[in-house]
């Protein structure tokens, strides 16, 4: 179910180990669990955290499209600051969501698991392929956070999907990096860091940020990304 993906995967992995020990299974398998951001950052976080802490030999992949897209585009804790959703509608009272996006990748690193990675759904196939391979073939619990822009929820034309992913990386809104046994490694360094507004302006969920009087929201978004990017660079090898 929505909220217990990790609990089910952990149970399957435990049963697999028992059957393996009894000689009823000869082949080697890695348990794979996939959830959206709502079921991962929010209502499934408890079971995810428990599975990671207990050390189940499993891969968890988060399909992060930054809202509850399949139930009505409600905000999740993955929704970024100022984004317009059905439960944080921009208007005269609030300029979209008023909280920052939860840094789940960093939270997974804090669990002390052997492999954590952040990548995008499309735009850099080498990056996502190599990280998927590492996650599968690393013994123990691993986590891969994949940014997956939603045309309807993010309010953009579907053909812009590769460009949206590219700009998320080039603006450092969504850096590509991995953490192996506690060591941070940047897997892509933009040749020239692009302004955050280039990423935001292609999405209708941020359209209000470009209206006269709301320039401060873009400035705040840029400052937040800059701070997080510098902190990440300080940690990376």
């Amino acid at each position: 179910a929505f909220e217990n993906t990790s609990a089910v995967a952990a149970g399957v992995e435990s049963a697999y180990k028992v059957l393996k020990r009894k000689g009823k299974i000869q082949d080697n398998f890695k348990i794979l669990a996939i959830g959206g951001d709502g079921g991962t950052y929010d209502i499934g976080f408890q079971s995810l955290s428990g599975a990671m802490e207990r050390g189940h030999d499993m891969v968890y992949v988060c399909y992060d499209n930054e809202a509850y897209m399949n139930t009505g585009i409600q905000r999740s804790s993955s929704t970024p600051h100022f984004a317009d959703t059905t439960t944080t509608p921009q208007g005269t009272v609030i300029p979209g969501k008023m909280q920052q996006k939860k840094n789940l990748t960093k939270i997974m690193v804090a669990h002390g698991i052997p492999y954590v990675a952040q990548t995008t759904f499309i735009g850099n196939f080498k990056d996502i392929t190599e990280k998927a391979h590492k996650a599968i073939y690393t013994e123990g619990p691993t986590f891969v956070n994949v940014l997956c822009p939603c045309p309807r929820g993010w309010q953009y034309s579907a053909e812009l999907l590769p460009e949206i992913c590219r700009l998320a990386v080039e603006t450092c809104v969504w850096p590509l990096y991995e953490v192996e046994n506690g060591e941070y490694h940047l897997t892509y360094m933009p040749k020239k860091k692009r302004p955050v507004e280039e990423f935001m302006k292609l999405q209708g969920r941020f359209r209000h940020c470009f209206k006269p009087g709301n320039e401060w929201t873009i400035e705040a978004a840029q400052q937040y990304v800059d701070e997080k990017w510098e902190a990440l660079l300080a940690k990376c090898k």
Side-chain angles (χ1 to χ4, degrees), residues 10-201:
V12 171
E13 187 267 353
S14 296
Y16 161 71
K17 287 196 297 186
V18 171
L19 293 172
K20 185 85 170 175
R21 189 166 60 246
K22 291 182 177 180
K24 294 184 178 181
I25 293 179
Q26 303 302 324
D27 293 332
N28 295 316
F29 297 98
K30 183 83 170 187
I31 309 305
L32 171 65
I34 302 175
D37 55 281
T40 305
Y41 282 69
D42 296 343
I43 61 177
F45 179 74
Q46 179 188 31
S47 64
L48 171 62
S49 179
M52 296 294 105
E53 185 272 333
R54 290 191 301 272
H56 291 280
D57 188 16
M58 58 181 278
V59 184
Y60 191 101
V61 177
C62 178
Y63 189 95
D64 188 358
N65 48 32
E66 299 190 329
Y68 288 84
M69 297 303 182
N70 65 335
T71 59
I73 316 176
Q74 300 93 346
R75 62 87 88 190
S76 75
S77 60
S78 173
T79 305
H81 202 187
F82 306 123
D84 176 62
T85 72
T86 55
T87 50
T88 57
Q90 64 82 24
T92 57
V93 178
I94 61 169
K97 186 190 172 197
M98 294 307 295
Q99 297 80 27
Q100 296 286 0
K101 177 186 174 86
K102 180 191 291 183
N103 193 334
L104 185 60
T105 306
K106 187 176 180 180
I107 293 172
M108 287 297 102
V109 174
H111 282 70
I113 61 180
Y115 187 75
V116 178
Q118 189 164 286
T119 187
T120 58
F121 174 65
I122 196 169
N124 192 326
F125 287 113
K126 181 175 184 292
D127 190 78
I128 192 172
T129 301
E130 291 180 348
K131 287 172 178 173
H133 187 275
K134 286 184 180 181
I136 293 169
Y137 290 99
T138 295
E139 185 177 356
T142 60
F143 178 85
V144 182
N145 208 357
V146 186
L147 186 69
C148 304
C150 173
R152 187 175 180 210
W154 292 25
Q155 302 172 43
Y156 70 89
S157 298
E159 66 270 16
L160 292 176
L161 172 58
E163 180 69 2
I164 296 281
C165 285
R166 187 183 70 82
L167 284 172
V169 175
E170 296 292 341
T171 60
C172 300
V173 166
W174 189 259
L176 303 183
Y177 71 98
E178 61 187 5
V179 184
E180 298 183 80
N181 297 311
E183 290 194 0
Y184 282 72
H185 302 277
L186 198 66
T187 58
Y188 178 77
M189 171 68 80
K191 292 182 179 179
K192 181 180 180 182
K193 186 165 171 282
R194 308 284 288 275
V196 174
E197 64 180 283
E198 292 187 19
F199 170 72
M200 296 173 67
K201 69 182 180 181

